[in-house]
């Protein structure tokens, strides 16, 4: 990459105040539900009470007759999407047509003059169902004779004779497995199961949609990607993308869960029908029943190891279900499972299985925590059986630059070994395990991503800088992008303001996902700043009457490049900006590109836990996260990502799960019985940021957001299993499950 | 939906009795408003009893404490005498909800919500608390364990409501304790729970003991533990007997919060641990 390689940073790496902080702590920040419009209607969605049923009829007459009701939509109001099966699934997930495939599936929606009337009207809609057999368990759904969730979804790569619920198969790896296992001194094969978990964002989905008589629309919504939301809404409504402008609100948590539409197409359809703006805010109950959790999985993992801890072969079969729809998440799991290790022989097999559950949507490193949980647990058990140090074994087998990964890519510079060595040298690892406690360690990995990105940077006539980017800020990206603009231009951070522009203002930006924003939008911002700098140097040259090539940029000012260029005092950005109307007009830089070179990410976690042997309850006593950030642009936010991801992973490990009745109904659709950790459950999560520069970014930045959710599942499994003297193979490790293992029945 | 704010217990009772639709009493509202918002109930009349005389006061009565039906749990913890006399009741009440909820929630409301998992109820039962009920026929005093009759159901007649709860006077060397099991550290609901109330003699021997268990039956369960504890200094053998008696008395169900076997075992563990805490407090 032909970009400057600054080694010493002035602004990058500092910890300035966050730009959204004051608004958020004073309650002024505007989230999805905070916007109203004159004449606005309120919406309510009616959802299926059945896990699987045929819709025989929908009678809306009583609801329509209720005073105050302005519009009702059902599946018949959405023009069926042809050709794009994926988008057709998104449409069918937003509103059922002939069948409901999970409890909570939307079947109709009402817009009325108050929320109370809308709620009442929704209850007056009569839906006649023919209840069909259902299946919610991934293994049960794969078994011969299982109730079929949806016919005709199977792809060509699935061998004949399997359950119709198996839709997709994939395989990754290299080397001679049989030879690898033959070299092992110890081989074990274990089965693991993980429950569906929800992102648990505090802000529910909420939007305000307005379609006008001329077929144009405005959408205000809480999203991780308003450009994708525009694409999806336009496709689902059958309108052109340019007819719709989407503005992203502040976002009260997403973690991947707000990368898909549910409420928005429904609100737009209601608005189109009613001719009024429509607000649709989901309740917490609807968020659990009607949006996307993670996959639920069943994984078989087989690993061979020599007496001295070299892994000779690894094999894993990953059975993933993302609900009643095809998802490619099993690929992510199959690719990520063994990514931390340099292996001669490795093979992973992914299977996607349909169940009568809500459609899975991304949750921080989708598919990886489950797969890596199985691998890291199996390795830990081998370490116990062979009496080996689990950290030394991981150091011995760690992938490094030049390693051919288990999914085919050859790794560039990366920080796994650095993280492992930092862990080994850290006081946590070297402190004695507290009395009554036990210690676990595990690695984690995420691919990271670059993607479609478009940024504009404008220099104000007063010498301030406005960056317009198109990715909702879910983890501090505005601060990080401002820091990178400040660094590149040589102006203080306080002179830069970064805003999230709407879909009418910039070219397409991929979702805020894949840990891509600080990397890709940061890179685009640096390039846009370089373009603006070039323009400013040209203008300084013109004012001085010298060649543009004879000017360079130093500390926020144009200066003559060397004594031969002439003797002129530095001309600052503010001075050049003030004269811009006399030198050719506004000064701006722009970058639109597809960012490449995101750079893989690895982390290592250590946990000390105490298990109450009489109740099976686990208390996390100490927890340390080691992760390579490439370059930590704003270290507070990087630490926040490492801590937040770790806590979410700990939640998956200990208590979080979708619990179903025998009728396929979710029994815990709320924060009382879907137990995300509370602050007092956690010790302060210690963090160690490593900085192994990513060669794909001029400042060395690599994404940090997703990797930290990956290791906790196995880290806690390994700690708890060592603590109770029994291996656990299923998540969550809720107290009843742990107590059962302790008591041995 | 109508809202009424009567000034006297008699007026409140009249309103409740006269309502042809669904009437609900509101003190802190921390259960009622949640049920309302989630669509579980749609009352026609809400009778707010916070403004009745004495409703928000803790008064000394015959060496004990009369706690008005609208006294928030937070206020219980701020009354030093009450904390000294009934630490178990206060700690049970203090476990309910968040800090914000603590500023509104009441033990009378917790009792009338009639959840078998209500945190303050086992402690009130073990304490021998007495509820004062006002109704169309005047006042009556009822032992708290007779108020809930099943999940969400009470023995209160039409027009009746609780105006206060009396915690009796304490002898020297007496204390109580309450423990619940939750998978987290707070903001949760008891999977099972145990309250233990002990009175010791001058030599540290248990003279009287009352134990009540939560979330292991349709209502809070009082267990007769005299045989296990009275006459002992709460040695391991006594504690074992207590744990066994608690587990034997439990009649739990399996649900999303725990299994029969888990609750049966853990309620014994909690009874043992709570007894030890109560004993240490009493012996102090």
């Amino acid at each position: 990459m032909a970009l400057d390689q600054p080694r010493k940073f002035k602004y990058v790496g500092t910890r300035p105040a966050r730009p959204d902080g004051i608004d958020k702590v004073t309650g002024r920040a505007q989230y999805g539900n905070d916007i109203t419009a004159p004449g606005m209607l309120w919406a309510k969605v009616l959802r299926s009470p059945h896990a699987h049923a045929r819709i025989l009829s929908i009678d809306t007459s009583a609801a329509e007759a209720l005073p105050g009701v302005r519009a009702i939509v059902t599946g018949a109001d959405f023009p069926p999407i042809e050709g794009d099966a994926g988008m057709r699934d998104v449409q069918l997930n937003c509103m059922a047509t002939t069948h409901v495939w999970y409890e909570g599936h939307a079947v109709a929606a009402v817009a009325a003059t108050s929320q109370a009337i809308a709620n009442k009207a929704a209850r007056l809609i009569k839906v006649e169902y023919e209840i069909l057999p259902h299946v919610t368990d991934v293994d049960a759904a794969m078994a011969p004779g299982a109730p079929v969730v949806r016919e005709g979804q199977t792809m060509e790569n699935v061998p004949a004779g399997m359950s119709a619920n198996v839709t997709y198969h994939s395989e990754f790896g290299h080397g001679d497995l049989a030879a690898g296992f033959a070299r092992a001194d110890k081989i074990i094969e274990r089965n693991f199961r993980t429950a569906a978990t929800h992102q648990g964002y505090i802000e529910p989905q909420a939007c305000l949609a307005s379609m006008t008589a001329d077929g144009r629309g405005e959408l205000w919504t809480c999203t991780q990607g308003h450009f994708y939301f525009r694409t999806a809404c336009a496709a689902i409504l059958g309108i052109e993308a340019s007819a719709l402008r989407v503005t992203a609100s502040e976002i009260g948590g997403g973690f991947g869960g707000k990368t898909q539409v549910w409420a928005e197409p429904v609100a737009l359809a209601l608005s189109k029908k009613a001719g009024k703006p429509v607000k649709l805010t989901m309740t917490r109950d609807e968020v659990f029943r009607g949006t996307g959790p993670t996959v639920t999985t069943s994984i078989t993992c087989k690993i061979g190891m020599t007496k001295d801890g070299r892994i000779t072969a690894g094999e894993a079969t990953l059975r993933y279900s993302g609900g009643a729809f095809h998802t490619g998440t099993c690929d992510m799991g199959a690719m990520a499972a063994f990514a931390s290790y340099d292996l001669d022989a490795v093979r992973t097999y992914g299977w996607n299985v349909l169940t009568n559950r809500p459609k899975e949507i991304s949750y921080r490193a989708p598919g990886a925590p489950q797969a890596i949980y199985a691998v890291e647990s199996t390795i830990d058990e081998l370490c116990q059986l062979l009496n080996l140090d689990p950290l030394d074994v991981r150091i011995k087998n760690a992938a490094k630059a030049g390693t051919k990964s288990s999914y085919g890519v050859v790794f560039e510079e990366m920080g796994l070994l650095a993280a492992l060595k930092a862990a080994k040298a850290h006081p946590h690892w070297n402190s004695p395990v507290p009395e009554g406690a036990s210690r676990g360690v595990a690695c984690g990995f995420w691919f990271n991503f670059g993607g479609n990105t478009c940024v504009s940077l404008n220099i104000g006539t007063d010498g301030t800088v406005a960056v317009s980017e198109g990715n909702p800020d879910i983890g501090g990206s505005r601060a990080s992008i401002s820091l990178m603009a400040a660094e590149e231009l040589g102006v203080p951070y306080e002179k830069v303001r970064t805003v999230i522009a709407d879909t009418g203002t910039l070219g397409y930006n991929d979702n805020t996902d894949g840990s891509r924003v600080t990397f890709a939008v940061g890179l685009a911002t640096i390039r846009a700043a370089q373009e603006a700098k070039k323009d400013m140097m040209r203008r300084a040259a013109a004012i001085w009457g010298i060649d543009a090539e004879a000017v360079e940029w130093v500390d926020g000012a144009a200066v003559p490049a060397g004594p031969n260029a002439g003797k002129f005092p530095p001309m600052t950005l503010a001075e050049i900006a003030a004269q811009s109307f006399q030198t050719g007009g506004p000064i701006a830089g722009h970058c639109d590109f597809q960012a490449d070179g995101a750079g893989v990410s690895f982390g290592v976690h250590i946990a000390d836990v105490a298990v109450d042997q009489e109740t099976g309850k686990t208390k996390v006593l100490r927890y340390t996260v080691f992760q390579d950030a490439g370059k930590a642009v704003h270290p507070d936010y990087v630490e926040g990502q490492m801590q937040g991801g770790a806590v979410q992973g700990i939640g998956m490990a200990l208590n979080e799960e979708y619990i179903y009745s025998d009728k396929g109904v979710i029994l815990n659709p709320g924060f009382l019985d879907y137990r995300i950790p509370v602050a007092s459950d956690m010790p302060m999560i210690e963090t160690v940021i490593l900085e192994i520069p990513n060669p794909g970014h001029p400042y060395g930045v690599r994404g940090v957001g997703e990797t930290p959710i990956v290791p906790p599942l196995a880290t806690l499994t390994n700690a708890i299993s060592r603590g109770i003297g029994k291996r656990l193979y299923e998540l969550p490790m809720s107290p009843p499950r742990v107590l059962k293992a302790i008591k041995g029945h | 939906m109508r809202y009424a704010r009567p000034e006297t217990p008699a007026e409140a009772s009249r309103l409740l009795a006269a309502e042809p639709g669904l009437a609900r009493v509101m003190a802190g509202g921390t259960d009622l408003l949640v049920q309302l918002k989630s669509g579980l109930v749609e009352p026609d009349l809400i009778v707010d009893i916070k403004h009745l005389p004495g409703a928000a006061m803790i008064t000394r009565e015959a060496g004990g404490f009369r706690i008005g039906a609208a006294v928030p749990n937070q206020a219980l913890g701020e009354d030093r005498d009450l904390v000294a006399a009934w630490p178990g009741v206060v700690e049970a009440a203090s476990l309910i909800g968040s800090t914000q909820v603590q500023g509104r929630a009441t033990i009378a409301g917790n009792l009338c919500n009639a959840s078998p998992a209500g945190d303050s109820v086992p402690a009130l039962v073990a304490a021998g608390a007495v509820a004062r009920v006002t109704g169309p026929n005047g006042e009556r005093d009822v032992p708290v364990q007779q108020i809930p009759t099943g999940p969400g159901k009470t023995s209160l007649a039409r027009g009746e409501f609780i105006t206060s709860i009396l915690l009796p006077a304490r002898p020297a060397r007496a204390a109580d304790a309450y423990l619940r099991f939750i998978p987290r550290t707070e903001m949760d609901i008891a999977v099972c729970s145990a309250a233990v109330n002990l009175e010791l003699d001058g030599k540290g021997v248990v003279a009287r003991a009352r134990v009540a268990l939560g979330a292991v039956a349709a209502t809070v369960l009082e267990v007769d533990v005299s045989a296990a504890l009275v006459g002992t200094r709460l040695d391991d053998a006594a504690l074992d007997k207590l744990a066994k008696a608690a587990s034997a008395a439990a009649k739990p169900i399996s649900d999303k919060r725990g299994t029969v076997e888990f609750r049966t075992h853990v309620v014994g563990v909690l009874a043992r641990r709570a007894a030890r805490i109560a004993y240490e407090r009493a012996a102090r």
Side-chain angles (χ1 to χ4, degrees), chain A residues 67 305 350 433 523 557 614 638:
Chain A
M305 197 180 273
V433 179
L523 182 49
E614 290 184 314
V638 172

Side-chain angles (χ1 to χ4, degrees), chain A residues 123 612 614-615 617 655 659 667 671-676 678 680-681 735-736 739-740 743 745, chain B residues 42 181-189 191 256-259 261-262 265-266 269-270 272-273:
Chain A
R123 288 198 297 271
D612 185 330
E614 290 184 314
T615 66
K617 182 171 169 174
N655 285 303
I659 304 170
L667 295 173
F671 283 141
L672 179 57
D673 286 304
Y674 181 88
R675 292 186 168 79
I676 61 174
V678 296
S680 55
D681 291 348
L739 185 65
K740 201 169 175 178
K743 294 177 82 182
H745 48 60
Chain B
E42 234 176 82
F181 183 85
I182 55 172
R184 293 184 287 204
T185 46
E186 59 180 322
M187 303 292 289
D188 217 323
I189 189 162
V191 178
K256 61 192 171 188
R257 294 182 186 137
T259 57
E261 55 180 342
F262 180 80
H265 173 78
V266 172
V269 172
L270 296 178
R272 174 205 297 264
R273 291 179 182 180

Side-chain angles (χ1 to χ4, degrees), chain A residues 329-392:
Chain A
T329 308
C330 65
D331 278 354
M332 297 294 170
M335 289 162 78
F338 286 99
S340 294
Y341 300 107
D342 183 359
L343 303 178
D344 293 334
V346 58
R347 203 79 81 246
T348 54
Y349 315 95
W351 298 94
N352 184 69
V353 186
L354 301 185
T355 54
N356 293 107
R357 289 171 175 258
K359 184 177 193 292
E360 177 228 1
I361 196 63
S362 302
Y363 180 9
R364 222 167 182 156
Q370 297 81 3
I372 289 175
Y373 152 66
V375 169
E376 292 291 310
S377 294
T378 308
I379 289 176
D380 198 64
E381 188 174 347
L382 278 165
C383 291
Q384 282 183 295
L385 291 168
L386 294 168
N387 203 19
L388 297 166
D389 179 282
L391 205 42
D392 286 341

Side-chain angles (χ1 to χ4, degrees), chain A residues 469 471-482 498 500 517-518 637:
Chain A
E469 50 113 343
N471 277 95
D473 177 358
I474 61 171
S477 56
R478 275 170 296 192
S480 298
I481 287 156
S482 291
T498 298
I500 317 301
V517 175
T518 305
Y637 279 119

Side-chain angles (χ1 to χ4, degrees), chain A residues 674-689:
Chain A
Y674 181 88
R675 292 186 168 79
I676 61 174
V678 296
S680 55
D681 291 348
M682 291 294 128
M684 188 63 187
I685 307 288
E686 298 170 57
T687 56
V688 177
I689 301 173

Side-chain angles (χ1 to χ4, degrees), chain A residues 167-192:
Chain A
T167 63
Y168 175 73
H169 178 57
S170 61
E171 188 177 331
F172 297 91
H174 57 255
D176 185 340
L177 273 187
F181 282 120
R183 283 200 306 276
D185 294 310
K186 187 86 193 166
I187 301 168
I188 60 173
E189 183 178 83
R190 298 290 182 259
N191 295 307
F192 300 88

Side-chain angles (χ1 to χ4, degrees), chain B residues 14 19 21 23 64 101-102 105 110 128-129 137 139 141 149 153 157-158 183 199 201 222 227 238 244 252 257:
Chain B
R14 259 199 313 279
E19 174 58 40
V101 167
Q102 282 286 304
N110 200 215
N137 304 319
E139 279 185 349
D141 284 343
T149 54
K153 294 196 172 66
R158 187 177 176 79
E199 289 177 23
D201 68 13
E222 184 166 4
K244 280 209 181 77
R257 294 182 186 137

